[in-house]
Amino acid sequence: MRTASPLLHGMRATETITPPHTSAELAALLGLLRAQRPRIRTVTIGHSRDAVSAAAAAAFADAWEGEILAMVDWPEEAASWLRPARRFTAGPPDAWVVAGIPLGWAQMSRRLRHSTAWRPARTFGFASVTRSAALAGPGTLRGLRGAAFDGGTWEIGPGMITFFPPGTEREPGGDRAWTGRGPSPDDRAVAAYGPYGDRSRGAGATGARAPGRGRR
């Protein structure tokens, strides 16, 4: 059992605005969930309390054809994220969907891993949550997948985030993506983060970049 506090001490939210989600991003996120087997029927949606994250969560809720067990929000700064973490994992749903500002989601995810049975591999996010990977710490968000601004997709791995361009083919009988084409114009093929620096690159990658828009 973990006993140490998961809080990120000495950090304050300095980035409180994220780009609004795009229609291509929302469509890609819905496509990811619909492609899962066994089929995802119930979801819990979580989001930061800023207007952009709340709007993304509401747009997903309006478009989702299955059941929504709960809509949970959390602050960017708090003494503990235990209460929203418990609400987020109640049910439990078939999958979780997340939109959030980096520090708040990093803190929330650390509390989830520390105090609940939450699994990042059953979680799907908007593009904004990729920027939480380095803050959350090694392994915290490993397996989390989601949609990029341009309609591509991404997956958080050990020390890197792999981005797949829009229209990427899927492996027969599976939900993993592969690509023999170049990187998407907005989100490059591989974004390294954390202690691994920019040493790791994937097929089709032209460079490593920090999570978020633009190249290093």
Side-chain angles (χ1 to χ4, degrees):
M1 178 182 294
R2 300 179 185 177
T3 57
S5 171
L7 295 180
L8 293 167
H9 297 287
M11 299 188 67
R12 297 186 60 84
T14 58
E15 184 175 9
T16 58
I17 299 177
T18 58
H21 74 279
T22 65
S23 57
E25 181 184 355
L26 177 59
L29 184 58
L30 288 163
L32 269 179
L33 272 81
R34 291 167 179 160
Q36 301 306 302
R37 296 295 181 271
R39 182 179 177 185
I40 294 174
R41 301 180 184 275
T42 62
V43 300
T44 289
I45 304 171
H47 63 87
S48 299
R49 292 176 180 172
D50 65 294
V52 170
S53 298
F60 181 89
D62 288 343
W64 179 243
E65 298 166 350
E67 181 181 358
I68 298 172
L69 296 186
M71 180 84 79
V72 179
D73 61 42
W74 54 79
E76 285 302 289
E77 298 180 8
S80 172
W81 279 259
L82 185 57
R83 182 174 297 179
R86 287 175 172 169
R87 290 181 56 215
F88 192 63
T89 51
D94 295 333
W96 291 276
V97 176
V98 178
I101 292 173
L103 182 58
W105 171 237
Q107 294 272 31
M108 176 71 166
S109 64
R110 286 170 64 87
R111 174 55 71 181
L112 286 166
R113 292 300 297 270
H114 186 277
S115 306
T116 74
W118 173 73
R119 293 170 54 194
R122 289 174 51 197
T123 306
F124 301 82
F126 282 85
S128 59
V129 304
T130 61
R131 290 175 292 165
S132 299
L135 292 172
T140 303
L141 295 175
R142 183 174 180 178
L144 192 151
R145 290 165 285 173
F149 294 107
D150 64 357
T153 58
W154 49 264
E155 180 174 356
I156 297 178
M160 69 176 67
I161 304 173
T162 303
F163 291 91
F164 302 98
T168 297
E169 299 292 336
R170 298 283 169 178
E171 290 182 356
D175 63 0
R176 284 192 174 275
W178 63 272
T179 178
R181 298 183 295 178
S184 112
D186 183 50
D187 289 311
R188 305 300 171 185
V190 173
Y193 69 88
Y196 295 88
D198 62 358
R199 291 178 293 172
S200 300
R201 285 176 168 78
T206 57
R209 46 181 285 288
R213 295 189 178 192
R215 299 186 63 181
R216 283 197 286 184

